[in-house]
């Protein structure tokens, strides 16, 4: 029977127990000894208001602790040891019965992809996950994306802000900087809008791989130049870009303010995104100190995007 | 305006080594989180802590976006290190597998303090002592 299961491949057994808060640590420790990669999942029950406010752990309900055991020759031994360990822990606290469930690999390997649909952003941009079909309307600008490895699926407000700015600002024939390019979504969108050239700067090697892959998917490699490195170190200080897009995080934006402002030609717009409202004032003052003026701000939830111009 | 939370999950996983394999794949995939996206960010933030178990609490929102915060290592992990043992006891009542001093308990309580719901260090130490007992580790003066 074991042979058969091995040949069908991809077997995992999910082991779960419910425990009181005091026993969770010990149960998790027991599980981690036998679990794949020592990994343990702890789900504390929570309560929240309908709009998601006031999320709080509900101490009146038990905590669920789970682990995954590979279906290999040690499985029955490991289950036996876990069962014994749980028996001992029951002498000290409230620990429920062990439950097991089969978890074939295909359950999750592609499950998350179900949630990434073809998405329209603004009037013309359409984000198409690479595994989905889409027949474009005449005016559509389709961006094909494999979001697996890098930030920037267009589903996040910070990315959506930038796409909307790209639709509204003059882009045709321009030279752009995409600082913190991630998946490459903005570089691709800029080219789709008719930009002449984009320099895409990304520090993370994993993201750079995804970025190149996405540029390839969209056949824009000849117009997007990928630069791997820290924005502060690799961006040419007087490059004279017609538009600077920076969808990073507040800390990096603040640190790179002088570089980014300097890289824009006088009078050119800068789009700053990835900023949470709590850090907005700091980001704004860093760019004002670097010679930029605020033109417009847009807010969605906790996120804010700033449109600034470099003073002439 | 807050977004509605779909799931609130704590994972205890080795720092810097997150992969789409279990437990991360099944735990996050069922909620629509782009698994590689999480792994990449977690590994980035924890690479310098390699060798330790660094728990992470992930909040998944209705729109499949997520945030996460890393926590201090599990008390059990810190206790094992303090006691110099590889694993806790299978029979915690009769079989003591190691011992830690009260000073070590205090040190661990100080590390864990930000993540415990204890009102003071004394309370935190009590919780850590409880964890030690449940692992078959004796606490000595």
């Amino acid at each position: 029977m074991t042979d058969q299961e091995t040949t069908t491949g991809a077997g995992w057994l999910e082991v779960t127990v419910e425990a009181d808060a005091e026993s969770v640590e010990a149960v998790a420790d027991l599980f981690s000894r036998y679990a794949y990669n020592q990994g343990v999942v702890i789900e504390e029950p929570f309560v929240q208001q309908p709009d998601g406010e006031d999320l709080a752990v509900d101490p009146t309900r038990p905590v669920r602790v789970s682990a995954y055991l590979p279906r290999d020759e040690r499985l029955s031994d490991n289950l036996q040891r876990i069962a014994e360990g749980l028996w001992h822990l029951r002498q000290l606290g409230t620990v429920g019965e062990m439950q097991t469930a089969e978890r074939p690999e295909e359950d999750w390997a592609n499950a998350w992809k179900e949630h990434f649909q073809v998405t329209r952003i603004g009037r013309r941009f359409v984000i198409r996950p690479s595994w989905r079909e889409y027949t474009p309307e005449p005016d559509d600008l389709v961006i094909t994306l494999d979001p697996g490895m890098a930030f920037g699926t267009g589903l996040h407000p910070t990315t959506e802000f930038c796409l909307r700015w790209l639709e509204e600002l003059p882009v045709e024939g321009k030279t752009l900087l995409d600082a913190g390019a991630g998946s490459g979504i903005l570089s691709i969108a800029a080219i789709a809008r008719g930009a002449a050239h984009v320099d895409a700067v990304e520090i993370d090697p994993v993201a750079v791989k995804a970025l190149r892959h996405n540029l390839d998917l969209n056949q824009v490699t000849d117009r997007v130049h990928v630069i791997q490195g820290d924005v502060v170190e690799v961006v040419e200080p007087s490059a004279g870009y017609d538009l600077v897009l920076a969808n990073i995080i507040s800390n990096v934006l603040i640190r790179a303010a002088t570089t980014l402002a300097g890289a824009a030609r006088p009078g050119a717009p800068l789009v700053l995104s990835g900023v949470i409202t709590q850090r907005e004032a700091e980001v704004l003052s860093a760019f004002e100190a670097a010679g930029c003026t605020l033109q417009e701000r847009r807010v969605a939830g906790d996120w804010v995007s700033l449109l600034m111009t470099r003073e002439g | 305006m807050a977004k509605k939370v779909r799931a609130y999950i704590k994972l205890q996983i080795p720092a810097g080594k997150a992969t789409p394999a279990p437990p991360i794949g099944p735990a996050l995939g069922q909620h629509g989180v782009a698994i590689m996206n999480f792994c990449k960010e977690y590994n980035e933030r924890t690479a310098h802590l390699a060798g330790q178990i660094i728990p992470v609490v992930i909040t998944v929102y209705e729109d499949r976006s997520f945030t996460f915060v890393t926590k201090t290592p599990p008390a059990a992990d810190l206790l094992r290190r303090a006691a110099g043992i590889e694993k806790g006891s299978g029979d915690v009542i009769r079989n003591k597998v190691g011992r830690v001093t009260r000073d070590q308990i205090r040190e661990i309580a100080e590390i864990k303090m930000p993540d415990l719901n204890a009102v003071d260090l004394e309370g935190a130490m009590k919780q850590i002592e409880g964890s030690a007992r449940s692992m078959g580790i004796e606490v000595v003066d």
Side-chain angles (χ1 to χ4, degrees):
Chain A
M1 189 179 84
T2 314
D3 281 345
Q4 204 179 5
E5 275 159 7
T6 314
T7 49
T8 54
W12 296 90
L13 197 70
E14 182 186 75
V15 180
T16 302
V17 294
E18 294 194 335
D20 62 4
E22 288 71 31
S23 304
V24 167
E25 186 95 30
V27 172
D29 185 53
L30 172 70
F31 277 12
S32 74
R33 276 181 240 164
Y34 306 104
Y36 179 74
N37 209 6
Q38 298 170 274
V40 179
V41 185
I42 299 168
E43 291 169 275
E44 288 171 304
F46 62 88
V47 288
Q48 64 180 326
Q49 298 299 315
D51 60 358
E53 290 281 5
D54 303 327
L55 181 81
V57 170
D58 177 1
T60 62
R61 288 185 286 157
V63 180
R64 277 171 65 89
V65 185
S66 317
Y68 296 85
L69 309 186
R71 278 211 159 277
D72 58 17
E73 67 284 353
R74 287 168 310 175
L75 180 65
S76 57
D77 269 4
N78 287 344
L79 282 175
Q80 177 76 23
R81 296 217 181 88
I82 289 174
E84 283 166 13
L86 289 174
W87 185 88
H88 287 294
L89 292 177
R90 278 188 204 109
Q91 317 306 307
L92 299 163
T94 309
V95 176
E97 288 301 318
M98 177 167 76
Q99 289 160 12
T100 59
E102 295 291 335
R103 287 280 177 249
E105 195 140 334
E106 55 271 22
D107 266 14
W108 74 82
N110 291 308
W112 63 274
K113 290 186 173 176
E114 289 302 310
H115 305 291
F116 291 90
Q117 304 287 346
V118 173
T119 309
R120 179 174 290 278
I121 292 173
R123 283 188 310 276
R124 300 185 58 196
F125 288 124
V126 175
I127 317 296
R128 180 180 75 90
S130 56
W131 60 89
R132 292 201 185 275
E133 297 293 330
Y134 177 73
T135 312
E137 304 287 322
D139 225 19
D140 284 351
L141 301 174
V142 179
I143 303 168
T144 305
L145 211 63
D146 189 346
M149 309 274 280
F151 203 71
T153 59
L155 298 178
H156 199 279
T158 62
T159 312
E160 188 174 337
F161 278 135
C162 294
L163 287 170
R164 286 175 185 274
W165 290 118
L166 270 178
E167 197 169 73
E168 294 166 33
L169 293 166
V171 173
E172 225 163 300
K174 308 281 187 190
T175 299
L176 277 72
L177 172 65
D178 180 5
S183 66
I185 185 170
L186 300 180
S187 296
I188 297 160
I191 298 296
R193 278 274 288 110
H197 182 86
V198 181
D199 281 341
V201 177
E202 174 57 53
I203 192 168
D204 179 81
V206 180
V208 165
K209 229 171 117 186
L211 167 61
R212 288 188 193 280
H213 174 61
N214 283 322
L215 295 180
D216 226 19
L217 278 179
N218 291 273
Q219 299 168 2
V220 294
T221 41
D222 54 331
R223 290 159 80 187
V224 181
H225 178 49
V226 178
I227 306 168
Q228 187 179 332
D230 187 324
V231 170
V232 177
E233 286 161 20
V234 300
V235 171
E236 214 180 301
S238 53
Y241 292 108
D242 300 311
L243 170 60
V244 170
L245 298 167
N247 182 19
I248 322 182
I249 50 168
S250 303
N251 279 342
V252 180
L253 287 174
I254 292 163
R255 191 165 61 81
T258 315
T259 311
L260 292 171
R265 69 166 165 72
L270 293 91
V271 170
L272 310 178
S273 202
V275 181
I276 48 171
T277 45
Q278 294 95 303
R279 305 293 306 273
E280 181 183 356
E282 282 172 81
V283 172
L284 187 59
S285 65
F287 278 83
E288 281 174 344
C292 297
T293 315
L294 180 67
Q295 299 299 329
E296 197 181 329
R297 66 187 285 274
R298 293 181 183 176
V299 184
D302 294 337
W303 302 94
V304 60
S305 176
L306 306 174
L307 176 66
M308 305 192 75
T309 47
R310 184 188 167 184
E311 282 156 24
Chain B
M1 191 187 81
K3 288 182 286 185
K4 193 158 161 52
V5 173
R6 177 187 162 87
Y8 182 73
I9 306 158
K10 183 175 176 183
L11 297 173
Q12 287 188 185
I13 47 179
K17 287 187 183 167
T19 72
I24 299 168
L28 298 186
Q30 62 173 316
H31 296 298
V33 170
I35 303 164
M36 281 310 298
N37 216 327
F38 166 77
C39 292
K40 175 182 160 271
E41 292 204 34
Y42 173 84
N43 289 343
E44 256 173 36
R45 288 202 223 165
T46 58
H48 63 292
L49 301 167
Q52 296 186 66
I53 299 286
I54 298 296
V56 55
V57 175
I58 304 139
T59 309
V60 185
Y61 299 96
E62 287 287 290
D63 68 352
R64 319 293 168 188
S65 68
F66 63 94
T67 56
F68 69 84
V69 285
T70 53
K71 299 286 183 181
T72 52
D77 211 38
L78 297 169
L79 282 164
R80 267 198 307 271
R81 281 164 183 268
I85 55 169
E86 284 209 353
K87 56 184 186 179
S89 172
D91 177 353
V92 293
I93 294 175
R94 276 170 298 178
N95 181 18
K96 302 295 174 197
V97 290
R99 53 176 55 177
V100 293
T101 66
R102 208 158 296 277
D103 283 344
Q104 285 175 310
I105 292 284
R106 180 183 298 274
E107 273 173 44
I108 292 171
E110 281 168 355
I111 295 171
K112 291 291 294 177
M113 197 63 194
D115 294 337
L116 295 174
N117 50 3
V119 284
D120 55 16
L121 191 61
E122 283 299 307
M125 286 176 68
K126 280 214 176 67
Q127 287 188 29
I128 304 298
E129 279 181 50
S131 297
R133 268 196 301 276
S134 66
M135 294 171 66
I137 293 175
E138 257 182 306
V139 180
V140 296
D141 281 316

